[in-house]
Amino acid sequence: MFLRLMRTMFVIFLVLSILSLITILPANLTGDGNATGLSRLTMGNVKADSNNLWVHIVFFMVFVAWVMHTIFGELKVYTRLRIWWLTNPTHASKVGASTVLVSTLPTPLIENEGKLSSMFDMFPGGVRQVIVNRNCSKLEKIVSERNDFVGKLEKALTTYAVKCEKAHAKSVKKGVAYVAPKQPMTRASNIPFKGPKLDAFEFYSTQIASRNQSICEMSGDKEQYKRQSSAFVLFRKQLAAHMAAQTVLDYKPFSMSSVSLDINPDDIIWSNLNMNPYDRRIRGYISLAATIGLVIVWTILTAALVSLVSIENLKKIPALSDMSDSKWFGLFSGIVPAVLLAVLMALLPMILRLLLRLEGTTRVSEVNLRLLHRFYFFQVWNIYLVTIFSTALLTILTETASNPAKILELIPTEVPKSATPILVYVLLLAFTGAAKEILQISRLVLRYVLPLLFAKTPRAIVNAEKPAEFDWGVSIPVHSLIFLMGFSYSFISPLVNCFVAAYFGLFYLVYRYQFLYVYNDANWVTGGLSFPKAIQQIMVGVYISEVYILLMMVAKLVAADGVNANGILRVIFTGLTLLLTIFAHSYINDAYLPIINYLPV
């Protein structure tokens, strides 16, 4: 569905580019405004009382209707595919498909598995098994130690085998008797040079055998491990699991309020399974506050970096004042802010993921799904509203400080000027982003360079050669942001549509190759639940675009020589478009969201 989403956005902007160049561009050029340069191609060149504004309104209304129609069609296809995936025998026959993870269990149910089982027996087919999670940190520690010794033994054996092979080849070449190299030695202590030297093979083998014995003894008695406030409930029928996930299980606040479907052991965050519901709530509030603080810090940081490399500020530096007229100086001030912004945004997802895990989220897939929205709104604020519009907003605020009534007069002329930073950002991501995606420099280093230097065992080589995994939680918000940028300026600057169409077309071709030959998405176990979240992000772009055109029409009405019926009608039509979109969005939420998450009867 991700490739289908990219193809859909490419088709949207391809059609939008053709239509806007035929309709909007001539209307802007003949708008009789006083704009110069590239600004003549934008809506800022259209006079406030010009009838050319109707071209923008009709074009925008028709295209919003077509985008909503496209969304309806894609959701119909997605719904069929989602139900097919849920009922497909390959998926439905898995144990995880008929299993739910119930968190925040009350104490009586934690201590009584039979009572917990009888509570869920009301669902079709009944319960096959109930497994209350236990704190096995001691056992986990011993298993980890055993695995460390296994790795050390494997490395020692491999290194010794390579030495023996080289010694044998050397003896054959010289025609002398083969002499086996000395066996590797080690010390029992982790402190360097402490303790006597021991035979590495014998020491590691002894330690592995000792750990295996301890693991067998500790695994035999599960009652020695403390029960946790979560449990896996295995049903006999898949439908029972989906019904249980939709049921209110307890009347007490927050008790058994978290029920997860389609369980995969590799997807579980085991350290978060024994969290108190109130502790989870408090952590959530702290995480939200930390995210808001992060937004503020990132806003200051990005604004400082962008202003630092702006051409006006660089001219103030004595050492660079003589270079200010150079064409390379202008190129530097145009590209470097976008590059610095991209670097800052690359660091952000790691911090947001950490905050989401600290909230007590029980599954990695839930972390990624929640990251989709959090990272998207973070980008909308920091990249779109703060960075790109900072110049226009600063001009409007400084010009209207003494006369606030001029705000609406400046919006039609200053906002279109922000099209240039959007073009630069889209072009940067289209070409450098697509090139980086298909080149995969980090994976290239990890797979081919580092193994030559550090991967000395078969296990290390296999791990280094594992296929890369696509980062859905980060990539989808980036593309949704580009959709927002393009659609919000579709009626203001038609050239933006062409570049955004090229962006999605290029990335569609790149991703089609990557998913066929590069990426391994077996661990993304949500069954396509990221697609409806991407649709919601597209709707945000539509709403912001409608607010823009409404503000532009209001500003044009105020800036005209006098309030006229023509201007009022333009405001009414744009407001009506926003209202109809709200109704359409409400229909989407009511018609499709209930059948997306759960299996219908």
Side-chain angles (χ1 to χ4, degrees):
M1 288 304 297
F2 175 72
L3 285 178
R4 189 178 181 93
L5 177 68
M6 297 296 293
R7 187 182 67 183
T8 299
M9 289 194 282
F10 166 65
V11 172
I12 286 175
F13 277 98
L14 180 62
V15 177
L16 185 58
S17 301
I18 297 172
L19 294 180
S20 62
L21 290 177
I22 296 174
T23 59
I24 301 294
L25 187 60
N28 290 340
L29 288 172
T30 59
D32 299 328
N34 299 321
T36 58
L38 289 178
S39 297
R40 292 187 66 243
L41 306 178
T42 68
M43 193 177 178
N45 193 48
V46 181
K47 283 188 175 181
D49 56 353
S50 174
N51 287 327
N52 287 9
L53 291 174
W54 280 107
V55 177
H56 299 80
I57 293 175
V58 173
F59 166 83
F60 187 75
M61 292 181 68
V62 170
F63 215 78
V64 167
W66 185 65
V67 168
M68 297 306 298
H69 174 74
T70 303
I71 290 175
F72 288 148
E74 292 302 311
L75 282 174
K76 288 180 181 178
V77 174
Y78 166 76
T79 303
R80 289 197 298 267
L81 289 175
R82 170 72 178 170
I83 300 302
W84 172 85
W85 180 80
L86 288 173
T87 57
N88 188 288
T90 303
H91 172 74
S93 60
K94 295 179 180 178
V95 175
S98 56
T99 302
V100 296
L101 169 61
V102 185
S103 303
T104 62
L105 291 173
T107 303
L109 293 181
I110 296 175
E111 302 297 334
N112 193 337
E113 294 182 6
K115 187 176 180 180
L116 184 62
S117 177
S118 63
M119 187 184 76
F120 285 99
D121 258 332
M122 68 178 70
F123 297 107
V127 174
R128 181 189 304 171
Q129 187 180 3
V130 172
I131 303 173
V132 176
N133 293 305
R134 297 173 182 270
N135 184 1
C136 301
S137 56
K138 295 181 180 178
L139 179 60
E140 184 180 0
K141 180 181 178 182
I142 294 178
V143 171
S144 177
E145 291 176 355
R146 191 268 309 273
N147 293 338
D148 289 340
F149 283 119
V150 167
K152 291 178 181 179
L153 178 59
E154 184 180 11
K155 183 177 180 180
L157 286 169
T158 304
T159 304
Y160 185 66
V162 171
K163 287 183 179 180
C164 290
E165 193 277 333
K166 290 181 178 179
H168 181 266
K170 186 176 181 180
S171 63
V172 171
K173 183 178 180 180
K174 292 184 177 181
V176 298
Y178 168 71
V179 178
K182 292 183 179 180
Q183 290 190 1
M185 306 296 288
T186 187
R187 300 177 190 271
S189 175
N190 292 326
I191 302 176
F193 309 110
K194 181 180 180 181
K197 289 186 176 182
L198 305 171
D199 181 89
F201 297 152
E202 182 179 353
F203 175 72
Y204 293 145
S205 300
T206 302
Q207 295 299 319
I208 292 171
S210 173
R211 297 305 189 281
N212 284 336
Q213 181 65 28
S214 299
I215 291 171
C216 291
E217 293 174 355
M218 297 179 69
S219 301
D221 182 17
K222 66 177 182 180
E223 295 302 328
Q224 62 179 308
Y225 304 111
K226 185 180 178 180
R227 294 170 180 258
Q228 295 184 321
S229 60
S230 61
F232 294 104
V233 182
L234 286 69
F235 293 94
R236 291 188 176 89
K237 292 185 177 181
Q238 182 187 14
L239 181 61
H242 284 256
M243 292 177 68
Q246 301 175 71
T247 304
V248 178
L249 300 175
D250 199 353
Y251 67 92
K252 296 179 181 178
F254 308 132
S255 178
M256 293 189 286
S257 58
S258 175
V259 181
S260 303
L261 280 167
D262 296 315
I263 302 302
N264 183 350
D266 296 331
D267 189 42
I268 302 296
I269 304 176
W270 299 97
S271 59
N272 288 343
L273 293 185
N274 192 39
M275 195 170 294
N276 183 283
Y278 295 97
D279 186 19
R280 185 175 276 117
R281 287 274 172 169
I282 294 173
R283 284 171 176 246
Y285 295 141
I286 294 174
S287 174
L288 180 61
T291 302
I292 295 173
L294 201 61
V295 169
I296 297 173
V297 171
W298 231 254
T299 300
I300 297 173
L301 195 59
T302 52
L305 285 175
V306 172
S307 62
L308 181 65
V309 296
S310 66
I311 191 168
E312 290 79 7
N313 292 328
L314 289 174
K315 286 180 179 179
K316 298 177 182 179
I317 302 176
L320 300 177
S321 58
D322 296 335
M323 301 172 56
S324 59
D325 297 328
S326 172
K327 62 179 181 179
W328 299 109
F329 198 80
L331 185 65
F332 171 83
S333 64
I335 293 178
V336 170
V339 174
L340 291 176
L341 196 59
V343 172
L344 276 178
M345 289 300 113
L347 299 175
L348 182 63
M350 295 183 288
I351 303 175
L352 293 179
R353 273 199 177 95
L354 177 62
L355 290 175
L356 289 170
R357 291 177 74 100
L358 292 177
E359 283 186 25
T361 309
T362 56
R363 296 194 299 170
V364 176
S365 57
E366 290 180 17
V367 170
N368 288 325
L369 286 174
R370 295 179 63 189
L371 179 65
L372 283 173
H373 279 334
R374 192 166 292 195
F375 186 51
Y376 174 68
F377 286 109
F378 203 106
Q379 288 191 111
V380 170
W381 173 257
N382 274 283
I383 295 180
Y384 187 63
L385 297 178
V386 174
T387 305
I388 291 181
F389 282 116
S390 59
T391 304
L393 290 176
L394 184 62
T395 303
I396 293 173
L397 291 176
T398 52
E399 292 289 336
T400 59
S402 57
N403 186 12
K406 292 181 61 180
I407 291 179
L408 292 176
E409 297 180 15
L410 291 174
I411 287 178
T413 57
E414 295 300 328
V415 171
K417 294 179 181 178
S418 300
T420 302
I422 287 180
L423 288 176
V424 172
Y425 190 78
V426 171
L427 282 174
L428 175 71
L429 288 186
F431 294 104
T432 63
K436 183 182 70 173
E437 174 64 33
I438 200 168
L439 185 59
Q440 295 280 318
I441 297 177
S442 60
R443 293 300 306 178
L444 183 68
V445 173
L446 291 174
R447 184 162 185 171
Y448 295 105
V449 178
L450 293 183
L452 294 176
L453 302 176
F454 302 106
K456 303 300 183 183
T457 66
R459 193 189 308 271
I461 294 174
V462 169
N463 290 334
E465 293 181 350
K466 284 182 178 179
E469 294 184 6
F470 184 63
D471 196 347
W472 304 86
V474 173
S475 298
I476 292 178
V478 171
H479 301 310
S480 298
L481 177 68
I482 298 300
F483 180 92
L484 165 61
M485 288 180 172
F487 201 76
S488 61
Y489 266 73
S490 60
F491 63 95
I492 295 177
S493 178
L495 288 181
V496 173
N497 301 326
C498 302
F499 289 110
V500 175
Y503 172 91
F504 284 117
L506 190 59
F507 266 98
Y508 171 71
L509 295 176
V510 170
Y511 282 135
R512 187 175 181 182
Y513 175 86
Q514 298 294 83
F515 281 108
L516 282 174
Y517 302 109
V518 178
Y519 285 127
N520 173 27
D521 59 345
N523 290 332
W524 184 257
V525 293
T526 63
L529 289 179
S530 58
F531 182 80
K533 292 187 176 293
I535 294 296
Q536 298 293 341
Q537 293 173 359
I538 289 176
M539 290 303 304
V540 172
V542 174
Y543 281 132
I544 291 179
S545 305
E546 291 170 344
V547 171
Y548 274 1
I549 193 170
L550 180 60
L551 289 176
M552 293 289 284
M553 292 302 111
V554 172
K556 293 285 187 182
L557 176 63
V558 174
D561 294 335
V563 177
N564 55 75
N566 210 12
I568 295 175
L569 280 176
R570 288 195 293 264
V571 174
I572 292 175
F573 272 92
T574 52
L576 183 63
T577 304
L578 177 60
L579 187 62
L580 291 176
T581 304
I582 294 174
F583 286 139
H585 192 192
S586 177
Y587 172 78
I588 289 175
N589 292 336
D590 294 339
Y592 291 103
L593 292 187
I595 58 178
I596 284 175
N597 293 310
Y598 304 111
L599 187 68
V601 177

